[in-house]
Amino acid sequence: MTRHGIAPKLRSRRRYNSYSGEHSPAPANLVNRRFHAKAPNRLWAADITEFRIGEGKIYLSPVIDCYDGMPVAWSIGTSPTAELADTMLEQACATLKDGEHPVIHSDRGCHYRWPGWIRICERHGLTRSMSAKGCSPDNAAAEGFFGRLKQEFYYNQNHQDDSIDEFIDALEAYLVWYRDERIKTEYGMSIRRHRQALGLMA
């Protein structure tokens, strides 16, 4: 779903924040913390998180399906650029079937306010929704995903001596495992296998 060239922590006291002012009018918060969907590709959540290792910083930009928490697509890179977010969104939209037009919810980061992101949303019929400024619970679906990822992959493992390429490869492998193999207690199987059992994906 991603390659290293596309725009791609030990723990940091200062959390990454993509907010850089009001670049364009913010859409309404249509989700209002109701991160539930009755079917796939109805409600997506997007965000960017930062990791720090000895060689530098790495950024992950995923889109999470609120139906079951599946990471639909992601991009990984060394700069939190608009290209990082846009690439991920294009990849996610490529998975949509005819008639599927999700609400895409995000925080107020600049990546989600710039023309490229807005054009992708318009082209694919996505409805934009945004959190209130500086209110992380308003994007709890993405924040919860990051919490599990960092607990399982980052905080409990020593990546400090990894090269950037090694870390990206390890993160990529974790995300594939999370989607395809990690057991979700609610289902007793992985997210992918649950969707396959319901006939929702091949």
Side-chain angles (χ1 to χ4, degrees):
M1 287 190 181
T2 182
R3 273 325 325 146
H4 305 176
I6 298 176
K9 138 185 176 170
L10 287 165
R11 298 170 216 190
S12 170
R13 293 181 183 176
R14 191 173 77 81
R15 183 178 174 182
Y16 167 70
N17 186 344
S18 64
Y19 185 79
S20 64
E22 302 293 311
H23 294 272
S24 63
N29 184 350
L30 303 177
V31 176
N32 197 25
R33 305 189 185 182
R34 296 186 297 270
F35 291 100
H36 302 286
K38 294 182 179 179
N41 298 328
R42 292 191 180 181
L43 175 59
W44 288 350
D47 204 347
I48 294 178
T49 195
E50 177 188 280
F51 301 88
R52 289 191 182 190
I53 61 172
E55 279 198 3
K57 299 177 183 179
I58 296 96
Y59 296 88
L60 169 66
S61 173
V63 63
I64 307 302
D65 194 324
C66 294
Y67 169 65
D68 54 10
M70 173 179 275
V72 177
W74 59 83
S75 55
I76 306 169
T78 54
S79 297
T81 61
E83 183 183 6
L84 189 75
D86 291 353
T87 297
M88 172 275 295
L89 187 59
E90 288 279 21
Q91 292 169 346
C93 289
T95 71
L96 294 173
K97 300 175 183 176
D98 289 344
E100 291 183 328
H101 304 288
V103 171
I104 178 77
H105 184 78
S106 69
D107 63 18
R108 292 198 177 207
C110 57
H111 317 85
Y112 315 119
R113 311 287 291 273
W114 285 347
W117 178 272
I118 295 171
R119 281 195 298 269
I120 296 169
C121 290
E122 290 175 346
R123 186 165 68 250
H124 293 281
L126 275 58
T127 300
R128 297 166 62 221
S129 171
M130 274 191 173
S131 306
K133 178 183 173 183
C135 188
S136 58
D138 279 2
N139 202 12
E143 295 289 349
F145 173 78
F146 291 151
R148 290 186 292 275
L149 182 158
K150 291 192 175 184
Q151 189 62 40
E152 294 177 359
F153 168 76
Y154 183 57
Y155 294 140
N156 291 334
Q157 301 180 34
N158 183 8
H159 293 285
Q160 189 66 8
D161 295 329
D162 287 357
S163 69
I164 286 176
D165 281 348
E166 287 171 340
F167 185 89
I168 290 175
D169 284 343
L171 179 56
E172 176 84 19
Y174 171 87
L175 291 165
V176 172
W177 172 82
Y178 185 100
R179 181 194 65 202
D180 295 350
E181 302 295 336
R182 181 182 185 273
I183 301 300
K184 185 164 183 172
T185 304
E186 178 182 353
Y187 303 144
M189 62 185 75
S190 72
I191 297 171
R192 174 182 281 276
R193 289 176 182 171
H194 182 251
R195 288 198 181 192
Q196 289 171 332
L198 295 177
L200 298 174
M201 65 186 302

